[in-house]
Amino acid sequence: MTRPLYARPLLIALLFCTGMPLAAHAATVASVESPGKVLKAELDLSAEGRISYRVQRNGKPVITDSLLGLRLREGAQLFGGFKLTRQASKRVDDTWEQPWGENREVRNHYHELRAEFQESARDLRKMNIVLRVYDDGIGLRYELPEQPKLGKVDILNEFTEFTLVDPQSATAWWIPAGEWNRYEQLYSATPVDQVGIAHTPITVKLGDGTHLAFHEAALVDYSGMWLQRVAPGKFRAALAPNASGAVSRQTPFTTPWRTIQIAPNAGALYQSSNLILNLNEPNKLGDVSWFKPHKYVGVWWGMHLETQTWGVGPNHGATTEYTKKMIDFAAEHGFRGVLVEGWNTGWEHEWFANGWVFDFLKATPDFDLEQLAAYAKSKQVRLIGHHETACAVSHYERQMQAAFDMYAKLGVDAVKTGYVCDAGQIERQDHADGPILREWHDGQWNSNHHLRVVTEAAKRRIAINPHEPIKDTGLRRTYPNWITREGARGMEYNAWGVPPNPPEHEPMLVFTRMLSGPFDFTPGLLSLTGKGGIPIQTTLAKQLALYVVLYSPVQMVADLPEHYAKYPDAFKFIKDVPADWEFTRVPNGEVGDYATIVRKDRNSEDWYLGSVTDEHPRTLQVPLDFLDRGKTYQAQIYRDADDADYRGEKRYAFERDDQNVTAQDTLTVRLAPGGGQAIRFVAPR
Ligand code: NOJ
Ligand code: CA
């Protein structure tokens, strides 16, 4: 039937808004299926030579027409006018070992498609698209080969799109990008269409229950990718800003991988994050067995409670005497590390307002660094170093090598770094009297800064834990001394109470921030109280569960020694729980509601379980089929008491039970409002 003429403009306008005319003319030029034929990705080329991609899961579209291309400062955009000149495919199935991590072995099983495009006219520039398709996600990146008409490339932005099928029924969990507070906001759950501009990972649940997470892998010499809503259900990559106005590269180069994890439920989404590691280059550091996952205490919480100070004065935290006490406490309870903040000069004034006065080589007069480092060693404990830059990053870089040399000489083999300032206020000064340029925490320059720190530290066998970092994109695979980081809202907010973290925060983190990698959240706040008595919104048992639920190869034992003395039963779990795992499984969970994670210790036959909920109580059935068949384990259960509740004094209500269990049993896990549960399954000895 011919459509009446008058209806056409409306139809055309409609098609134009949704971007459909492109699709109507586009032809599929290449495609690749995952090894188990679960996912299929297709590349299309429109009549104008614009490249786009689509993804389906089990034959059902998940990502529909999504454009690809790069916007350059000079010359024409790398967007349109392309023809496909060659395509090649590859099948890979290998397994590699993590020196430390959530799982010892990681299987890397994918089908790859490399599609080579060239402009049909103008400069005949070349751009390749590489797709790696796994059963639970895809990676996609641009490859710019060396070529006569494309040498230095200034990328203003990308055209890369992520277009959801059926966005009306989709929910997104996200934090905004481009705001002052880097990555430390509370997550929002909104219809996907209400996302403005978001950091990655961003998690989305479609109407049919499919879970997706958009992120990136191997962010090296490039700006971080934000996702900006540009049409209903459509996001476009927006690169974090750079002082120079662009990401500058020289061909040949590749961009970071743009990643989409796709899973049938929240638990499977968490398990699929091996994708991020798999898309990174193998270990470049060789033997890193000198780094031992561990727990650590610190001269730290007192400063956040404001009972101690970073700067010298009557309440200075980092004194020789107090640090000795912390070393004794760590040695007595078997914690390897003692972090000391405020040990160096430069904290005396408003330190966050001026990082140019920090001296990373000079201790305060009341802190005997050499004596303390030796004392710690004599007790099988190590000091953990601290380099807060307050964002005077070039100033820090000028002292960095000498500062690492000094630490290495003293046996300090882990350093926490810090970048406290508003987003976009990283201070870069290329020459001693040159201008100060302002960079972003996740801009190209700062992404390179982090790698300078990590590689300089690695030369001296030092591990790095940055706070106010750049987001994690799996570079721990390549640089396994980049052990953990902050990059989300941690425990410190519970000290400040601005406001304290809500009960849903941790089950939210599991399926959002934690998809990217380890988090130095600093759990274990058994006093459940912040500055001036502000109640922390969790139960006691939930604090224990966090050691299993929020993975990091270094876990802080964040509370004050005198507080732990009051809770010897609960403290036992913190002493027992390891920080390095053989396997990880996710028996249940829903984004922002609850999560149960079980992990097997890498150095024994014991398993550990952590379960956390939001403000709602839960009763969860957990089949113990992860345990070895034929063995009877002693389950040491640390649970919420029957009347526990995160509100008021009942947050301390806590019980310890023992029970014998086998792989055939199903355990009923009861969580109080805002509660949690931690279990150690002790294997027969
Ligand atoms: C913010 C960090 O997250 C915190 O752990 C640290 O104590 C302060 N900056 C000072 O460096
Ligand atoms: Ca912080």
Side-chain angles (χ1 to χ4, degrees), residues 31-106:
S31 70
V32 51
E33 260 187 318
S34 67
K37 299 192 186 309
V38 181
L39 297 185
K40 182 176 182 188
E42 289 168 292
L43 285 176
D44 297 341
L45 204 53
S46 74
E48 303 81 23
R50 288 186 176 177
I51 310 162
S52 59
Y53 74 99
R54 287 175 292 129
V55 183
Q56 41 180 273
R57 181 169 195 277
N58 292 329
K60 209 173 144 190
V62 180
I63 300 292
T64 183
D65 310 295
S66 302
L67 287 165
L68 296 171
L70 301 175
R71 191 149 73 84
L72 307 186
R73 176 146 43 203
E74 279 153 25
Q77 301 168 351
L78 282 169
F79 184 57
F82 283 111
K83 62 173 195 266
L84 181 74
T85 54
R86 191 172 168 264
Q87 57 172 298
S89 55
K90 190 163 100 179
R91 292 167 174 232
V92 171
D93 185 5
D94 57 33
T95 297
W96 55 280
E97 189 172 320
Q98 294 204 80
W100 46 267
E102 308 92 315
N103 297 287
R104 183 193 293 273
E105 290 191 340
V106 177

Side-chain angles (χ1 to χ4, degrees), residues 215-230:
H215 188 44
E216 59 182 311
L219 168 49
V220 175
D221 200 7
Y222 208 81
S223 270
M225 177 182 74
W226 304 344
L227 287 193
Q228 180 166 18
R229 176 196 181 278
V230 290

Side-chain angles (χ1 to χ4, degrees), residues 182 184 467-468 486 492-493 496:
R182 308 164 309 255
E184 296 173 17
H467 276 228
E468 302 75 48
E486 192 186 41
E492 59 191 13
Y493 282 77
W496 314 334

Side-chain angles (χ1 to χ4, degrees), residues 603-623:
N603 299 304
S604 78
E605 292 306 309
D606 295 354
W607 282 80
Y608 289 77
L609 174 149
S611 190
V612 293
T613 180
D614 60 6
E615 68 279 15
H616 300 292
R618 315 258 167 202
T619 302
L620 304 168
Q621 301 299 329
V622 182

